[in-house]
Amino acid sequence: GAVVFFFNVADDIRGQDGVWRFDHDGLNLARSLRTPNRTALARTLSDLARPDIMSALGLISILVAWRSTRWRKEAILMAVTLGGGGAMIGFTKYRYARQRPNLIEALATEETFSFPSGHSFGALCFYGTLAYWWMKSRSSITERIIIALGALQFVAAIGASRVYLGVHYPSDVLAGYAAATPWLTACLIAYEKYEQDERLQD
């Protein structure tokens, strides 16, 4: 479903139809909500999923996987999720080459293309993986649901901050989530399979 949604949005942004009104209404709403305090909060949220930080975390994960046996499988999962995802999102940006919004003043400087949002993609992959590990450590269904909902709200806030700052259309953010969903799911399934194989060998 996420893959289908992504390509539907991609088709619409190429034809300049369908999502046009949604994108422009979203940016106008963001402009109307701007205050100094909200702008400071949006900048902070945006910084928590910066591509350079995500790349650095991916490199650190590779080093941990190389040097540590205790945390090797966790580090490999994070390295693959962030590294492979980063390469995929970079290729996709240049594939569609959508220019950044110019409807409202941008409150941040970005030099790459707009579609899809790398911040949204990276946030779902990174914080989704952290939430997955945290949920695995809890036996209570209620606690797991609270963790999942909290992570989703946090990731959604990061995506919203990108629209608020005027550097992404809302459809860029939604497409970033749609692209990240199957990628993160595949990585977590592979991780679960590896853990199952380890238990069988033991």
Side-chain angles (χ1 to χ4, degrees):
V3 172
V4 171
F5 177 81
F6 176 87
F7 284 111
N8 281 335
V9 174
D11 286 342
D12 278 354
I13 65 117
R14 280 182 153 184
Q16 296 297 311
D17 59 7
V19 298
W20 186 89
R21 176 54 56 190
F22 171 71
D23 281 338
H24 284 66
D25 286 350
L27 285 168
N28 283 325
L29 175 62
R31 177 169 53 191
S32 70
L33 294 174
R34 285 177 173 177
T35 66
N37 287 339
R38 287 173 180 164
T39 299
L41 176 60
R43 291 183 189 277
T44 300
L45 287 168
S46 179
D47 285 343
L48 292 174
R50 281 168 40 190
D52 57 339
I53 292 178
M54 296 293 105
S55 297
L57 289 170
L59 289 174
I60 291 171
S61 297
I62 292 173
L63 292 175
V64 171
W66 178 45
R67 302 284 295 183
S68 170
T69 55
R70 181 179 179 184
W71 302 106
R72 180 161 293 163
K73 65 179 185 292
E74 290 84 1
I76 290 173
L77 171 62
M78 190 63 78
V80 171
T81 304
L82 295 181
M88 181 166 57
I89 209 71
F91 170 80
T92 306
K93 278 181 177 289
Y94 282 95
R95 172 74 174 80
Y96 290 98
R98 189 186 199 186
Q99 298 301 316
R100 296 280 174 173
N102 57 14
L103 181 65
I104 65 175
E105 177 190 3
L107 302 181
T109 302
E110 299 290 346
E111 298 179 355
T112 59
F113 291 118
S114 186
F115 181 89
S117 167
H119 279 69
S120 300
F121 186 99
L124 183 54
C125 287
F126 178 66
Y127 296 106
T129 301
L130 295 184
Y132 162 78
W133 283 331
W134 194 5
M135 290 167 64
K136 279 175 69 71
S137 70
R138 304 293 174 179
S139 57
S140 167
I141 297 297
T142 302
E143 288 183 338
R144 291 183 177 185
I145 292 173
I146 291 172
I147 292 168
L149 292 176
L152 287 174
Q153 289 180 340
F154 184 65
V155 170
I158 290 175
S161 74
R162 302 298 288 165
V163 179
Y164 178 94
L165 294 173
V167 293
H168 274 298
Y169 295 103
S171 60
D172 297 334
V173 172
L174 294 180
Y177 294 145
T181 299
W183 174 248
L184 177 60
T185 301
C187 290
L188 295 183
I189 289 174
Y191 179 82
E192 285 280 353
K193 181 65 167 58
Y194 179 79
E195 282 201 321
Q196 289 175 6
D197 290 344
E198 269 198 333
R199 286 194 291 270
L200 289 174
Q201 290 174 7
D202 293 340

